[in-house]
């Protein structure tokens, strides 16, 4: 990138809207996992949509590649620059409006998920997206990766939670639909193009999100199951018996052991030390109803032999403890060593066969393999991670896992699944995507060519336009 272009960009912006300070740039050029280290000549920090528009039109004219960044918690390398200018949304974090009667909230792309959840709560509403990185991940990044999390089972992915978007196109034009309408049949639903586009088509600057009624009661339990197959049977039972399952998360013994060892003050919820557990959350609009539903559904699950042990959280603090165990697994796994991670989905009915075959395959290909498979089994999404039993593995181990990854993705294909359930494609899976979905990638490239003919938006991400 020429010095002339950088100088022109800086001159056109408020001094608060850019930085070349290496200390300020540092957290923006490394990913959360520490897997990708990048570099950027300039950090741009616009505070308005107009500033974003000015930046993009200048970059478009001069062919400067731009990497939009929100909370930088992405797990597929899509938010780490390799020479692009970083356009951070962190200063655009306002909650612009809440319309309680319309069940909608409009905020800027840099609003942190936790603050959006809090703003909804302040008006007695619920914004249901919930995930481990919610204290850092921002709405722009969550929309750009079509984030999932633990409540997809009841409320859907981010795609289902967006009513409208404001987005800046690479040439600086602004598309804005923040009306909060639930019905609008005026042609193509353009917002859907930007959801899950990982910053390849433009910059999302604001969004109108769906709000929901807050449940009057919530119950959380951890139950012991023999196997993923029994977990799927239990899921069916809980859905039929209660009609109110909000989350259903699978945890292997090794995942809980790691979380308990890693989290200060954490302890095992069950004395029986089972091979598998599930965390179940039920919600109800009636006071205390979720607890009574949970008790009676678990009782009938015991009678049917679907559960061998269970603990029902008695207080809000205990619910938070149970959730901390589940949410603590990624951090605990990271502390154990680097793992080859596979965020994959298959139809729920195929999950047991997939898990069995993938475990056998990974163990046959790799000595010392430690399978840490956990996550959102209620919506067919498992984080099938392959680590080493011996702690302290590094990047060399992850590289050595390439044949395992290939075999796991072949099994995903065999079972009609997806190689990226919720984390996106980024740079991590772009080659796999091109290999496994060539027709779809060709259509995506054609769309990109139309909206971003100079390929300035995240050119290395998802489609690898370079
Ligand atoms: C501990 C932990 C737990 C997690 N759990 C989950 C989980 O349960 N479910 C889940 O889905 N994900 C999960 N993630 C992954 C991550 O939090 C999500 O991918 C999240 O959506 C990323 O948001 P972000 O604000 O950090 O985006 P970033 O990492 O900054 O960006 C992600 C991508 O979006 C692009 N982008 C960012 N902002 C914009 C914008 N305004 N306009 C256009 N493009 C943009 C970036 O260029 C990049 O390609 C987890 C991550 C961690 C660290």
């Amino acid at each position: 990138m020429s010095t002339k272009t950088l100088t022109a960009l800086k001159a056109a912006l408020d001094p608060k809207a850019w930085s070349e300070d290496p200390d300020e740039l540092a957290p923006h050029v490394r990913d959360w996992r520490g897997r990708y280290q990048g570099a950027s000549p300039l950090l741009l920090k616009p505070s308005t949509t107009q500033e974003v528009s000015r930046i993009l039109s200048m970059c478009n004219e001069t062919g400067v590649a731009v990497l939009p960044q929100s909370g930088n918690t992405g797990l597929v390398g899509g938010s780490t620059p390799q020479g692009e200018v970083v356009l951070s949304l962190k200063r655009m974090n306002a909650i612009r409006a809440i319309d309680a009667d319309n069940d909608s909230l409009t905020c800027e792309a840099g609003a942190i998920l936790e603050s959006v959840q809090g703003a909804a709560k302040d008006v007695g509403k619920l914004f249901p997206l919930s995930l481990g990185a919610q204290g850092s991940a921002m709405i722009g990044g969550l929309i750009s990766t079509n984030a999932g999390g633990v409540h997809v089972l009841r409320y859907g992915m981010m795609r289902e939670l967006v009513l409208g978007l404001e987005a800046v196109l690479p040439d600086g034009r602004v598309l804005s639909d923040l009306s909060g309408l639930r019905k609008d049949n005026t042609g193509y639903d353009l917002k859907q193009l930007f959801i899950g586009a990982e910053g390849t088509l433009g910059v999302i600057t604001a969004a109108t999100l769906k709000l929901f009624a807050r449940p009057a009661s919530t119950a959380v339990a951890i139950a012991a199951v023999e196997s993923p197959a029994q977990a799927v049977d239990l899921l069916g039972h809980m859905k039929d018996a209660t009609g109110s399952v909000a989350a259903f998360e699978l945890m292997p013994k090794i995942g809980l052991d790691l979380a308990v060892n890693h989290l200060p003050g954490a302890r095992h919820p069950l004395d029986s030390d089972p091979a598998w557990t599930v965390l179940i959350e039920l919600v109800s609009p009636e006071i205390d109803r979720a607890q009574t539903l949970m008790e009676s559904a678990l009782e009938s699950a015991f009678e049917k032999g679907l559960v061998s042990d269970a603990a029902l959280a008695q207080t809000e603090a205990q619910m938070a403890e149970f959730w901390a165990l589940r949410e603590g697994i990624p951090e605990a796994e990271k502390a154990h060593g680097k793992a080859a991670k596979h965020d994959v989905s298959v139809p729920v009915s195929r999950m047991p066969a997939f898990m069995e075959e993938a475990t056998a395959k990974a163990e046959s290909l790799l000595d010392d393999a430690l399978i840490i498979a956990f996550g959102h089994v209620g919506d067919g999404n498992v984080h099938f991670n392959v680590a080493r039993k011996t702690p302290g593995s590094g990047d060399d181990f992850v590289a050595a896992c390439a044949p395992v990854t290939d075999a796991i993705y072949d099994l995903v294909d065999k079972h009609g699944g997806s190689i990226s359930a919720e984390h996106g494609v980024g740079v991590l899976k772009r080659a796999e995507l091109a290999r496994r979905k060539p027709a779809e990638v060709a259509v995506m490239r054609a769309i990109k060519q139309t909206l971003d003919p100079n390929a300035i938006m995240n050119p290395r991400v998802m489609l690898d336009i370079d």
Side-chain angles (χ1 to χ4, degrees), residues 32 67-75 78-79 89 109 130-133 136-150 198-199 202-205 326 330 376 383 422-423 458 461:
W32 179 85
L67 179 135
Q69 194 181 77
S70 290
N72 196 16
T73 68
L75 297 176
S79 38
L89 279 300
S130 176
L131 43 83
S136 314
M138 297 170 184
I139 292 303
L142 292 156
I143 294 174
S144 298
T145 57
N146 185 25
V150 297
E198 300 184 34
V203 176
I204 295 167
T205 47
R326 161 61 190 88
H376 322 302
H383 301 306
E422 60 174 7
H423 294 163
N458 261 358
V461 168

Side-chain angles (χ1 to χ4, degrees), residues 219-223 234 238 245-249 278-282 294 298 307 312 323:
V220 176
I222 289 186
L234 179 62
M238 295 304 289
V245 181
F248 193 91
E249 298 282 311
V278 288
L279 185 155
I280 309 163
E281 183 179 284
L282 302 184
M294 182 76 90
L298 283 176
V307 163
L312 175 55
W323 268 116

Side-chain angles (χ1 to χ4, degrees), residues 169-199:
L169 297 178
D171 63 8
R173 279 177 297 165
V174 179
L175 294 181
S176 182
D177 173 14
L178 299 174
S179 56
L181 294 178
R182 279 171 172 74
K183 288 191 157 185
D184 177 11
N185 276 349
T186 51
Y188 299 151
D189 190 353
L190 294 178
K191 67 174 179 291
Q192 294 298 345
L193 269 183
F194 294 88
I195 304 174
E198 300 184 34

